Amino acid sequence: MEGKLLMTPGPTNVPERVLRKMSEPVIHHRTKEYGKLFGDMSERLKYVLQTKNPVLTFPSAGTGGLEAAIVNMFSKGDKVLIVSIGVFGDRFIKIAKTYGLKVDAIEVPWGRGVEVEEIKERLEDDHKALILTHNETSTAATNPIKEIGEFMKDKNQLFIVDGVSSVGGIEVKMDEWNIDVLVTASQKALMSPPGLAFIGVSDKAWEAAKSSDIPKFYWDFFSAREHLERPTPENPYTPAVSLISGVNEALKMIQEEGLYNVYERHEHLARKLRCELEKMGLNIYTDERFLSNTVTAITFDEEGIASKIKNRMEEEFGIVIAGGQGKMKGKMIRIGHMGYINQEMIDRTINALKKCL
Amino acid sequence: MEGKLLMTPGPTNVPERVLRKMSEPVIHHRTKEYGKLFGDMSERLKYVLQTKNPVLTFPSAGTGGLEAAIVNMFSKGDKVLIVSIGVFGDRFIKIAKTYGLKVDAIEVPWGRGVEVEEIKERLEDDHKALILTHNETSTAATNPIKEIGEFMKDKNQLFIVDGVSSVGGIEVKMDEWNIDVLVTASQKALMSPPGLAFIGVSDKAWEAAKSSDIPKFYWDFFSAREHLERPTPENPYTPAVSLISGVNEALKMIQEEGLYNVYERHEHLARKLRCELEKMGLNIYTDERFLSNTVTAITFDEEGIASKIKNRMEEEFGIVIAGGQGKMKGKMIRIGHMGYINQEMIDRTINALKKCL
């Protein structure tokens, strides 16, 4: 069953090992067998998020995870500082405003990450949190969250990070970098099908959650944690058992390879791809100080070229790449290179692209 | 890969055909190929829910679907009448209260369904909706929603039904029975793994949604509909593609068998099972006027028997059945018989149960 090669910034290619796990008979979610599976996966998530705190799991898209972070951490009227460097930063702003937060936004020109200095200038005492996207797939830019995390040390504010397209592909040390809420999802660098959101929550964030007054039921962090920490780990509501089984297998693969080897592989392949693209005379969109190791964006001056390439890549070569989002729709192609990605896939993509041009 | 036989009221056994679909390579969710898959599945859902209106899909547990119904239909302070006949009715009450609704509750003694007369007496002009569970798995009782739906015809109130453990196993005619919001999920009679919630929404409910002021982002019905109705159907956020592919296959199987043949199979097997249990001298918990065709509950006078049977069934015979929930914990066993269920599975369960007793 050979599928198309997914060179998109999520969903990504799922290894055979993970697909096979997904096709095993479903196990019941209130059994010891499931408790072991869910407990094991949750432990492995701690390794990948580099945190000692429990990582919560919700059957949901990544966006549900962002919403869960907002409704658990805040009360209506709370003031927050949100950095947007593209579509997903904008989405975080929309979610926060939906729930009545007062949002101060740093809107960084597309193609760049935020400068730590900009945050230092803009973060005020009455901001309850600093919120940002680690890796922005719409612009292929990565924010310097290690440096931002150093600045956030000993601050009163919560540090909330959307790591949906970074965790498992780009280094993120949740605890060491003072991240209080780290959201990710199954379908990006975690090499699994979409349908699960994962959320790491620091001690400081658990404290903050106690005073949140935004109504929540499905997304309730306390309920998720209480069920996870039972002698036989479980979930408040029926979990997506097959997906959990798939993710557990994918995380095993990351452990076997070693997290830092995984990061290196991503970095190496990203460099290799960019180098080839530059040789072809293509215009890499992102500022070189903020280049992403999980996605690369290329822009074209001429109207219509981007979508023609995207279509030909899929129809003639069976390689799915992404177009531009938001204001870059029709002007950009984006090549994802995260998760289950290797040299051969990069070469195949480059060769097909050469033939398209 | 032979798994345990799941005779639980969800998750249920997943047919090989569906499991095979789940193990195919993931397709990207912004492609024509996905649009066709998602469009096809959504059309098939209309057939199974027996509605002409679009059926929305959310990556979520069934409980998320219940929450979505509440946050889209109401405003804080709205008064509603909720019927509870067990754990899932209680959950609907909790969700409604979480979002600031004023709840009048009809709390029916466990083991029974509600009488239409009770609803006629209790429904008031200022109730904005009547909300109930069609089939309550915690007590193995089914509410007479056809009769209730007849009474609701031409009423101003919305008629909101949790059909999580009925749709696809017990007859539900959404449009003909005047149901305004019908929630269901993938892992019960729809023969698929857990992780997707489906929601049918009537014209009247779409009208009501316009004036709802409860904040929502992930669960927003309008956004889900707008994306579903695009020329190439899609979702606001990354959908659980593998699960959608699985459900589409399961719905094909329901179509091939014919919806009314499926209902008859459920009814026949439920009767057969109850008959055998009675022959064994076991005590069927549910009032005979409200017996469920998707789950059967048996109670034991003696402490500890229920959990012993449950454990032996799994360990010795590889058959997973469920225990009691809420106040029936430890006193009850529940046998699910919905979705991918046949005579041989019922026989296997009966034979194992005989050996356990």
Side-chain angles (χ1 to χ4, degrees):
Chain A
M1 202 94 62
E2 185 68 20
K4 287 178 181 165
L5 181 63
L6 288 185
M7 299 297 289
T8 58
T12 60
N13 300 298
V14 176
E16 266 297 315
R17 261 177 78 174
V18 175
L19 288 173
R20 273 202 304 271
K21 278 284 161 194
M22 301 266 310
S23 70
E24 286 180 9
V26 170
I27 57 176
H28 193 264
H29 61 293
R30 307 277 185 213
T31 55
K32 284 192 183 133
E33 196 180 351
Y34 173 75
K36 167 128 182 44
L37 166 66
F38 181 52
D40 285 353
M41 183 198 71
S42 302
E43 278 305 308
R44 292 194 164 99
L45 282 170
K46 287 158 89 169
Y47 166 71
V48 174
L49 272 68
Q50 305 198 46
T51 179
K52 63 169 180 44
N53 281 297
V55 180
L56 310 177
T57 295
F58 293 91
S60 156
T63 297
L66 304 184
E67 174 159 326
I70 297 292
V71 302
N72 277 280
M73 288 300 118
F74 302 106
S75 298
K76 205 178 157 181
D78 277 351
K79 215 173 135 183
V80 295
L81 180 65
I82 305 187
V83 176
S84 173
I85 64 170
V87 166
F88 290 90
D90 288 352
R91 185 175 292 174
F92 230 150
I93 292 174
K94 270 185 217 149
I95 297 172
K97 286 184 174 170
T98 298
Y99 288 96
L101 304 202
K102 288 184 191 133
V103 176
D104 285 333
I106 300 180
E107 289 180 337
V108 177
W110 278 35
R112 274 188 41 206
V114 71
E115 309 280 355
V116 185
E117 288 308 314
E118 292 177 85
I119 290 172
K120 287 186 187 171
E121 271 166 36
R122 294 287 304 278
L123 191 69
E124 294 166 14
D125 287 344
D126 63 348
H127 286 136
K128 216 183 146 186
L130 169 68
I131 300 175
L132 52 67
T133 318
H134 184 195
N135 183 73
E136 175 64 57
T137 50
S138 66
T139 65
T142 305
N143 275 315
I145 57 162
K146 182 184 174 186
E147 290 71 29
I148 298 169
E150 274 161 21
F151 165 68
M152 292 303 289
K153 190 171 155 70
D154 304 323
K155 292 275 179 302
N156 289 324
Q157 287 91 345
L158 295 167
F159 182 30
I160 299 180
V161 175
D162 167 356
V164 170
S165 63
S166 66
V167 169
I170 302 172
E171 188 183 39
V172 193
K173 292 181 158 183
M174 180 169 178
D175 292 354
E176 209 176 302
W177 297 356
N178 308 303
I179 300 170
D180 294 304
V181 181
L182 179 57
V183 179
T184 192
S186 50
Q187 80 280 10
K188 307 260 177 178
L190 300 186
M191 309 188 291
S192 302
L196 291 175
F198 306 111
I199 312 180
V201 186
S202 76
D203 292 335
K204 185 171 152 189
W206 283 110
E207 262 312 298
K210 285 184 195 162
S211 57
S212 158
D213 73 359
I214 297 178
K216 61 221 139 234
F217 190 89
Y218 186 73
W219 306 121
D220 185 47
F221 280 4
F222 289 104
S223 174
R225 180 178 189 162
E226 187 270 310
H227 283 77
L228 171 60
E229 291 180 342
R230 288 182 182 179
T232 302
E234 50 181 314
N235 311 76
Y237 318 115
T238 314
V241 179
S242 323
L243 295 175
I244 284 172
S245 182
V247 170
N248 187 46
E249 192 67 17
L251 296 174
K252 258 188 223 170
M253 291 175 71
I254 291 178
Q255 278 185 313
E256 286 163 10
E257 186 176 351
L259 192 54
Y260 277 79
N261 294 330
V262 170
Y263 295 151
E264 264 178 41
R265 172 168 53 81
H266 279 79
E267 192 178 336
H268 169 75
L269 294 173
R271 275 178 201 280
K272 170 90 185 168
L273 174 72
R274 289 190 300 254
C275 175
E276 291 291 334
L277 295 171
E278 274 167 351
K279 273 196 232 160
M280 290 159 71
L282 292 170
N283 178 47
I284 290 176
Y285 179 67
T286 313
D287 182 316
E288 63 180 12
R289 291 172 307 148
F290 302 102
L291 288 165
S292 167
N293 283 340
T294 58
V295 54
T296 297
I298 308 157
T299 48
F300 297 90
D301 294 331
E302 209 181 314
E303 278 294 307
I305 291 267
S307 37
K308 262 186 214 155
I309 293 176
K310 183 176 168 299
N311 293 341
R312 269 194 72 190
M313 287 287 283
E314 180 168 356
E315 282 154 25
E316 264 176 62
F317 302 96
I319 300 173
V320 188
I321 59 174
Q325 286 182 298
K327 59 187 168 197
M328 294 311 291
K329 208 161 189 163
K331 298 174 197 162
M332 183 189 269
I333 59 171
R334 294 175 301 141
I335 301 171
H337 33 86
M338 62 180 104
Y340 187 54
I341 185 85
N342 57 33
Q343 183 70 53
E344 188 269 330
M345 295 173 187
I346 296 285
D347 292 345
R348 222 178 114 189
T349 306
I350 289 288
N351 289 335
L353 204 53
K354 276 180 184 160
K355 284 174 192 153
C356 284
L357 288 166
Chain B
M1 203 96 60
E2 185 67 22
K4 287 177 180 166
L5 182 63
L6 288 185
M7 299 297 288
T8 58
T12 60
N13 301 298
V14 176
E16 266 297 314
R17 259 177 79 173
V18 174
L19 288 174
R20 272 202 304 270
K21 278 285 162 192
M22 301 265 310
S23 69
E24 286 181 8
V26 170
I27 58 177
H28 193 263
H29 61 295
R30 306 279 185 212
T31 56
K32 285 193 182 130
E33 196 181 351
Y34 174 75
K36 167 125 183 48
L37 165 67
F38 181 52
D40 286 354
M41 183 199 70
S42 302
E43 279 305 308
R44 293 195 164 99
L45 283 170
K46 287 159 88 169
Y47 166 71
V48 175
L49 273 69
Q50 305 199 44
T51 179
K52 64 169 180 44
N53 281 297
V55 181
L56 310 177
T57 296
F58 292 92
S60 156
T63 298
L66 305 184
E67 173 158 327
I70 297 292
V71 300
N72 277 280
M73 288 300 118
F74 302 107
S75 297
K76 205 177 157 180
D78 278 350
K79 215 173 133 181
V80 295
L81 180 64
I82 305 187
V83 176
S84 173
I85 64 170
V87 166
F88 290 89
D90 288 351
R91 185 176 291 176
F92 230 149
I93 292 174
K94 268 186 219 152
I95 297 172
K97 287 184 174 169
T98 298
Y99 287 96
L101 304 202
K102 287 183 192 138
V103 177
D104 285 333
I106 301 180
E107 288 180 336
V108 177
W110 278 35
R112 274 188 42 207
V114 71
E115 309 280 356
V116 185
E117 288 308 316
E118 292 176 83
I119 290 172
K120 286 186 187 171
E121 272 167 36
R122 294 286 305 276
L123 191 69
E124 294 166 16
D125 288 344
D126 64 346
H127 285 136
K128 217 185 145 185
L130 169 67
I131 301 175
L132 51 67
T133 318
H134 183 196
N135 184 73
E136 175 65 55
T137 50
S138 66
T139 64
T142 305
N143 275 315
I145 58 163
K146 182 182 177 187
E147 290 70 29
I148 298 169
E150 274 160 20
F151 165 68
M152 292 303 290
K153 191 172 155 71
D154 303 323
K155 291 275 181 302
N156 288 326
Q157 287 90 345
L158 295 167
F159 182 29
I160 300 180
V161 176
D162 166 357
V164 171
S165 62
S166 65
V167 170
I170 302 172
E171 189 183 39
V172 193
K173 292 181 158 184
M174 179 168 180
D175 293 355
E176 211 176 303
W177 297 356
N178 308 302
I179 299 169
D180 294 304
V181 180
L182 178 58
V183 179
T184 192
S186 50
Q187 80 280 12
K188 308 260 178 178
L190 301 185
M191 309 189 290
S192 303
L196 291 175
F198 306 112
I199 312 181
V201 186
S202 77
D203 292 336
K204 185 171 153 189
W206 283 111
E207 264 313 298
K210 284 183 195 162
S211 57
S212 158
D213 73 359
I214 297 180
K216 61 221 141 237
F217 190 90
Y218 186 73
W219 306 120
D220 186 50
F221 280 4
F222 289 104
S223 174
R225 181 178 189 162
E226 186 271 311
H227 283 77
L228 171 60
E229 290 180 343
R230 288 183 182 178
T232 302
E234 50 182 315
N235 311 76
Y237 317 113
T238 314
V241 179
S242 323
L243 294 175
I244 284 173
S245 183
V247 170
N248 186 45
E249 192 67 19
L251 295 174
K252 258 189 221 169
M253 291 175 70
I254 291 178
Q255 278 185 312
E256 286 163 10
E257 185 176 352
L259 192 53
Y260 278 80
N261 294 330
V262 171
Y263 295 152
E264 265 178 39
R265 174 167 51 82
H266 279 79
E267 193 177 336
H268 169 76
L269 294 173
R271 276 179 201 281
K272 170 88 184 168
L273 174 72
R274 289 190 301 253
C275 176
E276 292 291 335
L277 295 172
E278 275 167 350
K279 271 196 235 162
M280 290 160 70
L282 292 170
N283 178 47
I284 290 177
Y285 178 67
T286 313
D287 182 316
E288 64 180 11
R289 291 172 307 148
F290 301 103
L291 287 166
S292 166
N293 283 339
T294 58
V295 54
T296 296
I298 308 158
T299 48
F300 298 89
D301 294 332
E302 209 181 314
E303 277 293 308
I305 290 269
S307 39
K308 262 185 214 155
I309 293 177
K310 183 176 169 296
N311 292 341
R312 268 195 73 189
M313 287 288 282
E314 181 169 355
E315 281 153 26
E316 263 177 62
F317 301 97
I319 300 174
V320 187
I321 59 174
Q325 286 183 296
K327 58 187 168 197
M328 295 308 291
K329 207 160 189 164
K331 299 175 196 163
M332 182 189 268
I333 61 170
R334 294 176 301 141
I335 301 171
H337 33 86
M338 64 181 104
Y340 187 53
I341 186 87
N342 58 33
Q343 182 70 54
E344 188 267 330
M345 295 173 188
I346 297 284
D347 292 345
R348 224 180 112 188
T349 306
I350 289 288
N351 289 335
L353 205 53
K354 276 181 185 159
K355 284 176 193 153
C356 284
L357 289 166

